[in-house]
Amino acid sequence: MNPNGLEVEAEVRELRNRVKGSYSPVVSLYLERSLGGNYESELNSMLREKEKLLAELDFPSGREQLTRKLLNNLRKRVEQLERPDGRELFISYSGDGFRQEYRFPVSMPSKLIIQPEPYIRPLESILEQFDRYFIAVIDRGRSRFFTSYLGRFQEEDISVESEVPGQVSEDDTGKGARASLKSKGGTGREAWGGWKENKIQAHIEDHFQRYLKGLAVLLRRLTRKQNIDHLVLAGPKGEEGEIVQGLRPHLNRDVKEKIIGTFSGGSKTEKNEIRGRFKELVRDFRLTRETKLLNRLFAESDKPEGLGVLGIEATLEALFNGKVKTLVLSEDVESAGWICPDDYYVSPEQEECPVCGEMMKVTEDLFGHMVWEAIDQNSEIFFVREAGRGSFAEAAVGALLRF
């Protein structure tokens, strides 16, 4: 299930307002459920730790009973879930009389939090990582619209029918102008009786410009309403440039700045074909953007007092000092390390926690815990997908610094 981002954001706002001022416990679960992972055992381990903690703390009896009930219900709920066919992060917020659930195609270390309000900052960070794309397939006869967000590509339940009259061309015998498509008020030569060809073409162009102007107004409204980050325009093969250039003068500046590219596609192009061309365009767009960010990171890390660091140890030090503005990681790269379960101090090789002196535990997902630390510091998180195979591959992680 790939949720609609706008719906999630609205639900999170509602959830936050619902529990505001309440002292009832809220259980927040982030459960990493990648294919082949033993997430049930991991959940049971976290639940046992929380139940043990409840026994040690001086909780009012009513709150303790409610918390144990929520934990037990959570265990039963996870047991009901079907196993995922890929990577998945299962998120659950449950409290007195409510439960919200989400699933996202991302990987993060599992975490279970009990506090008087939902621990939603990680969810907000996840939503911030995914760009919203709007795809407008513009045709002279009919325009279609698509959105892509959180791995979900779908056609919008809106389309615009054109009232542009038919094109005019010389017939095979050269005996005058004729309409090759249906037009308002009739068809063919009969519809254009008494009109000269240049007047007919001017009439068609006038209708077409009004059609494009209407599309521009619609695009402005939809991109604002859906908080779209990037806009992609498509037109019939051989005409995509012509149609897009014709639309541009009608677009306001905000919409123009969102355009990242064009490809060929029309009103009758199959959805899967449109999705394939869109994914190719986005791959190139991401490569350009990632390369630009990495070049900036390399330049800053090369300066003696630059605002950039590369590698695990340097990035961890920056995180511990609260200096990370943007955490940059290669996607799908893992690294083992050590973590203190009490202080959440993480290290690539240190076995003893320098904060409390206790022995640390092995973690197979050091980068994931770095992401959690960045989330807690309200740092930006940027995953490198396309450009990570180059010079960044060896470092795998780095950061742009606040100071």
Side-chain angles (χ1 to χ4, degrees), residues 9 22 40-41 53 62 107 112 133 141 158 185-186 195 221 288 294 326 351 374 388 397 403:
E9 291 170 355
S22 171
E40 296 97 336
S41 176
L53 186 62
S107 295
L112 182 63
Y133 295 90
I158 52 175
W195 283 53
R221 177 169 62 84
T288 300
L294 291 179
T326 304
E351 298 183 28
V397 63
F403 55 90

Side-chain angles (χ1 to χ4, degrees), residues 294 297-298 310-312 328-335 367 384-398:
L294 291 179
L297 177 59
F298 293 147
L310 284 171
I312 294 176
V328 185
L329 308 101
S330 286
E331 191 174 65
D332 297 329
V333 174
E334 297 179 354
S335 178
F367 288 170
V384 177
R385 301 176 189 172
E386 306 300 332
R389 303 176 185 87
S391 52
F392 187 63
E394 183 176 350
V397 63

Side-chain angles (χ1 to χ4, degrees), residues 194-208:
W195 283 53
K196 290 185 177 180
E197 182 175 349
N198 58 348
K199 288 186 177 181
I200 296 172
Q201 294 288 13
H203 181 69
I204 291 172
E205 181 62 24
D206 178 64
H207 272 267
F208 186 55

Side-chain angles (χ1 to χ4, degrees), residues 26-295:
V26 176
V27 176
S28 302
L29 171 67
Y30 292 81
L31 185 62
E32 208 274 334
R33 299 177 67 237
S34 294
L35 181 64
N38 190 8
Y39 61 86
E40 296 97 336
S41 176
E42 186 175 23
L43 173 64
N44 287 330
S45 176
M46 291 190 295
L47 290 172
R48 284 194 296 269
E49 287 183 9
K50 296 302 180 185
E51 289 166 347
K52 180 181 177 182
L53 186 62
L54 281 174
E56 296 173 353
L57 296 177
D58 187 20
F59 253 46
S61 60
R63 290 188 198 169
E64 181 179 348
Q65 290 177 5
L66 175 58
T67 304
R68 290 187 181 279
K69 178 182 177 181
L70 293 173
L71 293 176
N72 189 48
N73 290 342
L74 183 60
R75 178 187 284 110
K76 293 179 179 178
R77 174 64 186 125
V78 172
E79 289 174 353
Q80 297 171 351
L81 298 175
E82 295 182 1
R83 298 197 71 85
D85 55 4
R87 63 178 180 174
E88 178 187 285
L89 181 67
F90 174 75
I91 302 175
S92 172
Y93 305 112
S94 54
D96 190 8
F98 73 88
R99 182 173 67 198
Q100 295 277 54
E101 296 179 355
Y102 307 102
R103 304 179 199 181
F104 293 93
V106 299
S107 295
M108 289 177 63
S110 299
K111 182 172 282 193
L112 182 63
I113 304 290
I114 303 174
Q115 58 185 29
E117 59 187 25
Y119 182 49
I120 61 174
R121 174 56 192 158
L123 173 58
E124 293 173 331
S125 179
I126 290 170
L127 294 175
E128 290 169 1
Q129 291 175 36
F130 289 86
D131 291 336
R132 296 179 180 86
Y133 295 90
F134 193 88
I135 304 95
V137 181
I138 304 165
D139 207 332
R140 290 181 178 271
R142 174 173 168 262
S143 291
R144 302 158 64 194
F145 306 97
F146 301 82
T147 54
S148 178
Y149 184 51
L150 292 168
R152 182 183 183 185
F153 185 88
Q154 64 180 15
E155 185 164 4
E156 296 293 288
D157 190 23
I158 52 175
S159 64
V160 178
E161 300 288 341
S162 169
E163 292 187 352
V164 178
Q167 297 297 312
V168 176
S169 62
E170 289 294 319
D171 60 19
D172 294 337
T173 60
K175 293 181 179 178
R178 63 179 174 85
S180 59
L181 298 175
K182 288 187 177 181
S183 61
K184 200 172 182 180
T187 60
R189 190 180 306 171
E190 177 184 326
W192 300 108
W195 283 53
K196 290 185 177 180
E197 182 175 349
N198 58 348
K199 288 186 177 181
I200 296 172
Q201 294 288 13
H203 181 69
I204 291 172
E205 181 62 24
D206 178 64
H207 272 267
F208 186 55
Q209 291 303 318
R210 279 187 277 170
Y211 170 56
L212 293 178
K213 187 175 182 179
L215 285 174
V217 172
L218 181 63
L219 287 174
R220 181 182 184 184
R221 177 169 62 84
L222 291 175
T223 52
R224 283 187 173 182
K225 182 180 179 181
Q226 300 189 28
N227 293 330
I228 297 299
D229 298 299
H230 309 294
L231 175 63
V232 177
L233 301 176
K237 188 173 182 179
E239 295 184 51
E240 61 268 31
E242 175 188 344
I243 287 183
V244 170
Q245 291 306 316
L247 177 64
R248 278 183 180 273
H250 301 293
L251 298 172
N252 71 343
R253 186 176 64 181
D254 291 343
V255 176
K256 286 180 181 177
E257 291 176 349
K258 295 180 185 295
I259 299 174
I260 62 170
T262 63
F263 62 84
S264 63
S267 59
K268 296 182 180 180
T269 306
E270 293 291 335
K271 177 182 175 180
N272 286 341
E273 194 171 345
I274 290 175
R275 176 168 50 194
R277 295 172 187 174
F278 162 74
K279 289 177 71 173
E280 289 181 10
L281 187 149
V282 169
R283 190 179 299 115
D284 292 340
F285 168 70
R286 283 196 61 90
L287 178 59
T288 300
R289 186 170 63 169
E290 290 172 7
T291 301
K292 184 177 180 180
L293 179 95
L294 291 179
N295 286 341

Side-chain angles (χ1 to χ4, degrees), residues 286-330:
R286 283 196 61 90
L287 178 59
T288 300
R289 186 170 63 169
E290 290 172 7
T291 301
K292 184 177 180 180
L293 179 95
L294 291 179
N295 286 341
R296 180 185 169 197
L297 177 59
F298 293 147
E300 290 293 339
S301 64
D302 285 341
K303 298 176 183 177
E305 301 294 331
L307 297 178
V309 293
L310 284 171
I312 294 176
E313 293 188 2
T315 305
L316 279 173
E317 181 180 356
L319 277 170
F320 295 149
N321 292 321
K323 298 170 65 175
V324 173
K325 177 183 179 182
T326 304
L327 179 65
V328 185
L329 308 101
S330 286

